[in-house]
Amino acid sequence: MSDQTAEWRVQLAGTLLRKLSMHATLSPAECERILSLPVRSQRIPARTVFIEEGASRREACALVQGHACRFKTLADGSRQILSFHIAGDFIDLDSTVLEIADHGVSTLTDSIVAYVPHESVTAAMAEHAGIARAFWRETQVDSSIFREWLLNVGQRDAFTRLAHLLCETALRYSAAGLGRAERFEFPVTQNDLADATAMTAVYVNRTLQRLRAEGWVSMHHGEVRIENWKALCDAAGFDRTYLHIPATIAA
Amino acid sequence: MSDQTAEWRVQLAGTLLRKLSMHATLSPAECERILSLPVRSQRIPARTVFIEEGASRREACALVQGHACRFKTLADGSRQILSFHIAGDFIDLDSTVLEIADHGVSTLTDSIVAYVPHESVTAAMAEHAGIARAFWRETQVDSSIFREWLLNVGQRDAFTRLAHLLCETALRYSAAGLGRAERFEFPVTQNDLADATAMTAVYVNRTLQRLRAEGWVSMHHGEVRIENWKALCDAAGFDRTYLHIPATIAA
DNA sequence: CGTTAACTTGATAGCATTCAACTAGCGTGG
DNA sequence: CCACGCTAGTTGAATGCTATCAAGTTAACG
């Protein structure tokens, strides 16, 4: 293992354990076990699909550095972004039990990804109920977020929908320690926002302008500034319950 | 335990094990362990919400008989149906790790629900890695279906969207042994379809008429008849991969 | 500084919603 | 037994939210 890989391992261990133990209680032995998982790290440039839809996989991957998103595409080329991910996210735990990828994964920025063989994940889970439970919980929270996105895309209008996505992102990022909720880096284009909220880029642009005009949020060069958190949440009908973030972590 | 509960237990065991072992390989001991989970069964009338959004739960529940759906509602009363469920579905496995229900669950028809205490689920999973894996897989498949619904609601037009839902349901129901794919009971109103596909009931009605006019599907009194499976799938862009149903099970 | 991607703006079009009225089926009670 | 009420389904007309098309401008980058 190169020195660099070793360094990445430390980063991964930090963010991953931090996230897993946010809810679950992992014993020292279990933490050790996770830290000793064999990983293969890889640098991936910005805007690169590194897991193709329909691929069959032998490793699960976690994001060590950077930003990524999961997506699905239709035959006509239209794309639905399913989720955004940051360092510490175990992106495709599903690969461990679902042989074929039902969606793709792409980086948004230059990133570092750590691959862990499925057998290692499975073995760690079989040996430690706590690890199994922690991974399971990750999956369930993920699932809960998908449900909220379904509600968001299905039932809220464009304005509210975009506001809601920004609320969610602000809270997730701040809970992960990536800046405060009022100001954080969200390196997506308006086109990405469009694919995530099921709008068009043109309409995202117009909606963003309305959000700024209201004095609630502004967004430039991938930096989001929330100028009125309360008003934004109210307008979005944002209720953090579905993120299942402990109450001890503030917005 | 009453005789009736005992009978329901047998039914549940049959459908649940059948579903779990569709993918996972459970050892005889693990099957036994699942069969011996303590359950409390309950009859629930049609169209009754039996798990409220925001409730905190101490038991997970599985559907023994009947039809149910999960949903989320907005302050303005609009409702998004998240999934449809049939006998053998472990509906809210998420309750085991997520304290607060982020969505509600309602029956569609008269149903029987079996409740299992969380501790029992957790214990069974901790003791048997195979059980943990089987439950985990259930969760992952669920999650995969949410992703597809997100794509469906976000990117497909109303006509294609409804067609896709019917393809999915036909395949899931036939895989579960509830009739053939060409003809099955799907006890939902047009209003339910509207809430599931994020359309209005009026437009569901019109779209259903177009689907029948094309000679692909007809639907009356909760009975769906697929008259041209291939054409329907083509129009819907339906690809069963995301359901993760073994290839040995035909449409 | 040329090239390209991202963003912005205006005008037009259309899919789906909304509103409203009407029909059909079904259980209930007088 | 029929009237009544209620839910589900159906149809028509009008509106509107958002997409589409087209033409900019700005910003990033080699």
Side-chain angles (χ1 to χ4, degrees), chain A residues 9 13 29-39 116 120:
Chain A
R9 164 186 289 285
E30 285 166 345
C31 289
E32 267 309 309
R33 188 69 173 78
I34 289 175
L35 293 186
S36 65
L37 284 172
V39 301
V116 186
S120 305

Side-chain angles (χ1 to χ4, degrees), chain B residues 191-209:
Chain B
N191 196 50
D192 294 330
L193 289 177
D195 289 348
T197 53
M199 307 165 56
T200 58
V202 170
Y203 208 58
V204 164
N205 184 292
R206 287 170 175 142
T207 306
L208 238 23
Q209 288 179 50

Side-chain angles (χ1 to χ4, degrees), chain A residues 189-190 202 205-206 209:
Chain A
T189 63
Q190 294 185 354
V202 169
N205 184 293
R206 287 174 173 138
Q209 289 178 51

Side-chain angles (χ1 to χ4, degrees), chain A residues 39-62:
Chain A
V39 301
R40 169 175 78 83
S41 294
Q42 193 180 0
R43 239 180 230 290
I44 296 174
R47 311 221 145 250
T48 306
V49 174
F50 62 99
I51 296 177
E52 298 279 352
E53 299 176 78
S56 61
R57 304 156 287 177
R58 304 196 152 275
E59 299 166 307
C61 73

